[in-house]
mmCIF file of all heavy atoms in Angstrom:
data_model
loop_
_atom_site.group_PDB
_atom_site.id
_atom_site.type_symbol
_atom_site.label_atom_id
_atom_site.label_comp_id
_atom_site.label_asym_id
_atom_site.label_seq_id
_atom_site.Cartn_x
_atom_site.Cartn_y
_atom_site.Cartn_z
ATOM 1 N N GLY A 220 15.784 26.569 -2.339
ATOM 2 C CA GLY A 220 16.882 26.538 -3.210
ATOM 3 C C GLY A 220 18.197 26.075 -2.467
ATOM 4 O O GLY A 220 18.416 26.496 -1.280
ATOM 5 N N ILE A 221 19.001 25.493 -3.206
ATOM 6 C CA ILE A 221 20.422 25.201 -2.895
ATOM 7 C C ILE A 221 21.274 25.987 -3.767
ATOM 8 O O ILE A 221 21.260 25.601 -5.007
ATOM 9 C CB ILE A 221 20.725 23.736 -2.780
ATOM 10 C CG1 ILE A 221 19.885 22.985 -1.718
ATOM 11 C CG2 ILE A 221 22.260 23.479 -2.446
ATOM 12 C CD1 ILE A 221 18.537 22.494 -2.114
ATOM 13 N N THR A 222 21.947 26.934 -3.403
ATOM 14 C CA THR A 222 22.866 27.664 -4.313
ATOM 15 C C THR A 222 24.232 27.815 -3.843
ATOM 16 O O THR A 222 24.627 27.431 -2.761
ATOM 17 C CB THR A 222 22.165 29.205 -4.444
ATOM 18 O OG1 THR A 222 22.785 29.903 -5.524
ATOM 19 C CG2 THR A 222 22.449 29.969 -3.076
ATOM 20 N N GLY A 223 25.166 28.208 -4.761
ATOM 21 C CA GLY A 223 26.499 28.402 -4.365
ATOM 22 C C GLY A 223 27.429 28.463 -5.688
ATOM 23 O O GLY A 223 26.820 28.148 -6.817
ATOM 24 N N TRP A 224 28.630 28.644 -5.530
ATOM 25 C CA TRP A 224 29.515 28.660 -6.640
ATOM 26 C C TRP A 224 29.904 27.162 -7.097
ATOM 27 O O TRP A 224 29.594 26.252 -6.417
ATOM 28 C CB TRP A 224 30.850 29.354 -6.223
ATOM 29 C CG TRP A 224 30.618 30.796 -5.918
ATOM 30 C CD1 TRP A 224 30.716 31.357 -4.734
ATOM 31 C CD2 TRP A 224 30.308 31.814 -6.762
ATOM 32 N NE1 TRP A 224 30.409 32.704 -4.699
ATOM 33 C CE2 TRP A 224 30.138 33.042 -5.972
ATOM 34 C CE3 TRP A 224 30.067 32.019 -8.147
ATOM 35 C CZ2 TRP A 224 29.843 34.336 -6.505
ATOM 36 C CZ3 TRP A 224 29.746 33.156 -8.611
ATOM 37 C CH2 TRP A 224 29.652 34.271 -7.924
ATOM 38 N N LYS A 225 30.534 27.107 -8.195
ATOM 39 C CA LYS A 225 30.851 25.817 -8.774
ATOM 40 C C LYS A 225 31.706 25.035 -7.816
ATOM 41 O O LYS A 225 32.579 25.564 -7.083
ATOM 42 C CB LYS A 225 31.720 26.075 -10.039
ATOM 43 C CG LYS A 225 32.098 24.772 -10.752
ATOM 44 C CD LYS A 225 32.884 25.108 -12.060
ATOM 45 C CE LYS A 225 33.369 23.846 -12.749
ATOM 46 N NZ LYS A 225 32.388 23.103 -13.412
ATOM 47 N N ASN A 226 31.526 23.823 -7.612
ATOM 48 C CA ASN A 226 32.212 22.987 -6.609
ATOM 49 C C ASN A 226 31.957 23.323 -5.166
ATOM 50 O O ASN A 226 32.842 23.009 -4.347
ATOM 51 C CB ASN A 226 33.650 22.806 -6.920
ATOM 52 C CG ASN A 226 33.921 22.219 -8.309
ATOM 53 O OD1 ASN A 226 33.262 21.327 -8.783
ATOM 54 N ND2 ASN A 226 34.920 22.763 -9.074
ATOM 55 N N SER A 227 30.824 23.919 -4.907
ATOM 56 C CA SER A 227 30.601 24.315 -3.513
ATOM 57 C C SER A 227 29.802 23.125 -2.754
ATOM 58 O O SER A 227 29.607 23.402 -1.478
ATOM 59 C CB SER A 227 29.774 25.543 -3.453
ATOM 60 O OG SER A 227 28.572 25.427 -4.063
ATOM 61 N N GLY A 228 29.508 22.162 -3.394
ATOM 62 C CA GLY A 228 28.843 21.087 -2.732
ATOM 63 C C GLY A 228 27.281 21.086 -2.911
ATOM 64 O O GLY A 228 26.510 20.400 -2.312
ATOM 65 N N LYS A 229 26.806 21.885 -3.881
ATOM 66 C CA LYS A 229 25.323 21.916 -4.067
ATOM 67 C C LYS A 229 24.663 20.695 -4.417
ATOM 68 O O LYS A 229 23.636 20.252 -3.828
ATOM 69 C CB LYS A 229 25.058 22.920 -5.271
ATOM 70 C CG LYS A 229 25.357 24.345 -5.100
ATOM 71 C CD LYS A 229 25.065 25.231 -6.211
ATOM 72 C CE LYS A 229 25.642 24.756 -7.601
ATOM 73 N NZ LYS A 229 27.051 25.038 -7.725
ATOM 74 N N THR A 230 25.249 19.927 -5.411
ATOM 75 C CA THR A 230 24.638 18.661 -5.812
ATOM 76 C C THR A 230 24.651 17.580 -4.628
ATOM 77 O O THR A 230 23.614 16.953 -4.441
ATOM 78 C CB THR A 230 25.295 18.073 -6.944
ATOM 79 O OG1 THR A 230 25.191 19.042 -8.040
ATOM 80 C CG2 THR A 230 24.607 16.751 -7.466
#
Side-chain angles (χ1 to χ4, degrees):
I221 295 86
T222 192
W224 297 109
K225 183 178 176 75
N226 296 324
S227 62
K229 297 181 302 291
T230 300

